[in-house]
Amino acid sequence: MEAVIRVTSFLSADVENGNRTNADRAYDHIREQLIMLDIRPGDPINDDQLAAALGLGRTPVREALKRLERERLVIAYPRRGTFATMVDLTDLADISEIRKQLEPTAAARAARTATSQACDELSRLAAEISAVTDDDEPHEVLRKDVHVHRAIYRASGNPHLEDILVSLDAHATRIWCLFLDRLPGVADHVREHIPLIEAIIAGDPEAAAAQTLAHVTGFEQTIRSLL
C-alpha cells in the first residue's frame, strides 16, 4: 500500500521565504511526513502522488527525494522504487552519543550569540509550549518539540552545526514516534524546553548547556526503559 500524504505545517520556520524553490518546499513537506511517521517506515513513496498532493511538478519532488535519500530518510532501489527507511533502534546509542556532545554546544553558543530576532522567536515558542497540556494530541505536541530544536539550532549561528543536529534530531524524532502511544509525559518532555529557552535568552551558556544535556539524556533513558 502506498503512503497517504498529508500536507501539514512545515518544520522549518523560514519556508515562506520567497527565495525557496519548489524543490525546497517539497523537501520540507515530505521530510515532515517521514519524521513524524505520517509516512510509515517501509512505505513505498510514489512521486506522482506526492506531486499531486503538494500541487507541484514531479521534478521538484524527485529532487527533494534525492536530498532525503542522502539524509537516510528514504531509500531507492533500482526497478523497485523509493521507500521510507526503517527506524533502526540500534541507532539510538550512536545518535545519543553525538547529540550529547553537540546539542549542549549549540545551546551554549545560542546563549552567547543569538540575535534579538532569534530570541523573539524563542520567546514565542516558549509561550506556545507553556500552553501545552497533557490532553493535547501527542503528535502535535511532538511537532512543537521539533520546532523548538530547530529554532535553537538556528540561533546558534553555526550553519554546519545546525545541519548536523537537524539530521540527528530527525532520526531521534522518528524513534520517539514509534513509542508515542506508550510514552507518558510527552507534554512534560516538551515543556522542559522552557528553562532552556530562558537560559538562552538570558545569555547563560552554562545553564543552557546543562539543560540541554539533561533533556537529551532523558530522551535516551525514556526510550531505553521501553525496550
Side-chain angles (χ1 to χ4, degrees), residues 25-129:
R25 295 184 176 91
Y27 166 82
D28 282 312
H29 274 299
I30 301 166
R31 191 174 189 275
E32 178 165 356
Q33 306 306 306
L34 291 163
I35 291 171
M36 301 305 299
L37 303 192
D38 295 322
I39 301 176
R40 300 294 299 177
D43 275 352
I45 297 175
N46 184 298
D47 51 7
D48 286 328
Q49 181 190 18
L50 281 168
L54 299 176
L56 300 172
R58 293 177 66 186
T59 297
V61 169
R62 288 177 174 177
E63 290 176 8
L65 290 174
K66 288 179 182 178
R67 289 174 64 184
L68 292 164
E69 186 172 17
R70 290 194 294 270
E71 295 181 15
R72 299 172 61 193
L73 290 170
V74 304
I75 185 168
Y77 296 102
R79 296 180 297 279
R80 286 185 56 199
T82 301
F83 299 79
T85 56
M86 302 304 292
V87 178
D88 189 348
L89 293 177
T90 62
D91 286 342
L92 178 62
D94 293 337
I95 292 169
S96 296
E97 179 182 18
I98 304 170
R99 291 183 74 207
K100 287 175 186 177
Q101 297 296 319
L102 297 187
E103 294 253 5
T105 298
R109 183 180 171 88
R112 290 192 299 267
T113 66
T115 64
S116 59
Q117 181 179 4
C119 288
D120 288 345
E121 171 66 6
L122 288 170
S123 293
R124 184 190 67 78
L125 288 169
E128 189 174 306
I129 62 178

Side-chain angles (χ1 to χ4, degrees), residues 48-226:
D48 286 328
Q49 181 190 18
L50 281 168
L54 299 176
L56 300 172
R58 293 177 66 186
T59 297
V61 169
R62 288 177 174 177
E63 290 176 8
L65 290 174
K66 288 179 182 178
R67 289 174 64 184
L68 292 164
E69 186 172 17
R70 290 194 294 270
E71 295 181 15
R72 299 172 61 193
L73 290 170
V74 304
I75 185 168
Y77 296 102
R79 296 180 297 279
R80 286 185 56 199
T82 301
F83 299 79
T85 56
M86 302 304 292
V87 178
D88 189 348
L89 293 177
T90 62
D91 286 342
L92 178 62
D94 293 337
I95 292 169
S96 296
E97 179 182 18
I98 304 170
R99 291 183 74 207
K100 287 175 186 177
Q101 297 296 319
L102 297 187
E103 294 253 5
T105 298
R109 183 180 171 88
R112 290 192 299 267
T113 66
T115 64
S116 59
Q117 181 179 4
C119 288
D120 288 345
E121 171 66 6
L122 288 170
S123 293
R124 184 190 67 78
L125 288 169
E128 189 174 306
I129 62 178
S130 68
V132 167
T133 72
D134 295 338
D135 295 327
D136 289 346
E137 202 283 317
H139 274 86
E140 294 308 312
V141 173
L142 195 58
R143 288 181 205 276
K144 298 182 190 299
D145 179 86
V146 177
H147 294 163
V148 172
H149 280 265
R150 291 291 296 268
I152 292 172
Y153 305 154
R154 284 194 302 272
S156 75
N158 184 327
H160 303 287
L161 181 60
E162 179 183 354
D163 286 347
I164 293 169
L165 286 173
V166 164
S167 178
L168 290 172
D169 188 61
H171 290 282
T173 301
R174 295 185 87 213
I175 292 173
W176 190 270
C177 284
L178 275 184
F179 295 92
L180 201 53
D181 60 344
R182 296 167 53 193
L183 285 169
V186 175
D188 288 337
H189 171 81
V190 176
R191 286 192 293 261
E192 287 176 3
H193 290 102
I194 295 173
L196 166 57
I197 290 172
E198 290 172 345
I200 291 173
I201 293 173
D204 188 339
E206 290 79 13
Q211 290 284 346
T212 301
L213 180 58
H215 182 76
V216 174
T217 301
F219 162 77
E220 182 183 14
Q221 291 173 342
T222 298
I223 296 298
R224 288 194 180 282
S225 71
L226 298 175

